[in-house]
């Protein structure tokens, strides 16, 4: 009849001690949420192009509007809608001017 006692002790050791440690330990500090939202007016780079984050009511005029997988770029651009600040944005390409004054597209 020693086996049932050994099993009971094993169960207590496996389950009771971890539960007690949860009760008596201080709760872990919450991690500060990192947001990768880009601020309105912020400039971002993607490949060889530079964009400015601009308020918008829709996707029209956004450089990535016809891009097949614009959702795949969220780690570069950040979200464009359902943002924490409540402002929907689009990404407008900045056109660089060359030294001779011609615009380069």
């Amino acid at each position: 009849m020693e086996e049932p006692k050994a099993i009971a002790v094993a169960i207590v050791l496996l389950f009771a001690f971890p539960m007690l440690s949860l009760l008596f330990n201080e709760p872990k500090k919450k991690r500060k949420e990192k947001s990768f939202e880009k601020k309105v007016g912020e400039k971002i780079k993607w490949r060889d192009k530079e964009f400015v984050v601009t308020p918008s009511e829709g996707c029209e005029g956004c450089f990535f509007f016809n891009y097949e997988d614009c959702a795949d770029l969220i780690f570069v651009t950040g979200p464009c809608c359902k943002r924490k600040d409540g402002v929907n944005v689009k990404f407008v390409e900045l056109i660089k001017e060359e030294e001779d004054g011609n615009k380069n597209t």
Side-chain angles (χ1 to χ4, degrees), residues 37 56-59 74 78-91:
E37 280 186 2
S56 177
E57 290 299 319
C59 296
I74 197 164
C80 57
C81 57
K82 297 182 183 176
R83 295 163 38 105
K84 291 180 183 175
D85 62 4
V87 178
N88 294 337
V89 297
K90 64 183 176 183
F91 304 95

Side-chain angles (χ1 to χ4, degrees), residues 61-104:
C62 179
F63 179 83
F64 301 108
F65 179 58
N66 290 323
Y67 191 76
E68 289 178 20
D69 297 317
C70 70
D72 292 343
L73 293 170
I74 197 164
F75 294 106
V76 175
T77 62
C80 57
C81 57
K82 297 182 183 176
R83 295 163 38 105
K84 291 180 183 175
D85 62 4
V87 178
N88 294 337
V89 297
K90 64 183 176 183
F91 304 95
V92 179
E93 182 179 8
L94 292 175
I95 299 173
K96 297 178 184 177
E97 292 187 22
E98 293 183 19
E99 289 179 16
D100 62 356
N102 294 332
K103 291 185 177 181
N104 183 13

Side-chain angles (χ1 to χ4, degrees), residues 11-94:
I11 290 173
V12 168
L13 291 174
L14 287 174
F15 295 106
F17 285 123
M19 296 303 277
L20 288 173
S21 69
L22 289 174
L23 291 173
F24 293 108
N25 285 340
E26 291 182 27
K28 291 182 180 178
K29 293 180 182 176
K30 288 185 179 180
R31 275 193 262 162
K32 189 175 183 181
E33 282 188 37
K34 289 185 179 180
S35 175
F36 56 98
E37 280 186 2
K38 306 301 182 202
K39 294 178 183 174
V40 173
E42 186 175 344
K43 294 178 184 176
I44 59 171
K45 291 184 179 183
W46 179 70
R47 297 189 178 168
D48 62 344
K49 300 184 184 302
E50 191 171 18
F51 304 92
V52 66
V53 181
T54 309
S56 177
E57 290 299 319
C59 296
E60 195 170 320
C62 179
F63 179 83
F64 301 108
F65 179 58
N66 290 323
Y67 191 76
E68 289 178 20
D69 297 317
C70 70
D72 292 343
L73 293 170
I74 197 164
F75 294 106
V76 175
T77 62
C80 57
C81 57
K82 297 182 183 176
R83 295 163 38 105
K84 291 180 183 175
D85 62 4
V87 178
N88 294 337
V89 297
K90 64 183 176 183
F91 304 95
V92 179
E93 182 179 8
L94 292 175

Side-chain angles (χ1 to χ4, degrees), residues 1-9:
M1 288 288 181
E2 292 289 323
E3 283 184 30
K5 288 181 183 178
I7 292 173
V9 169

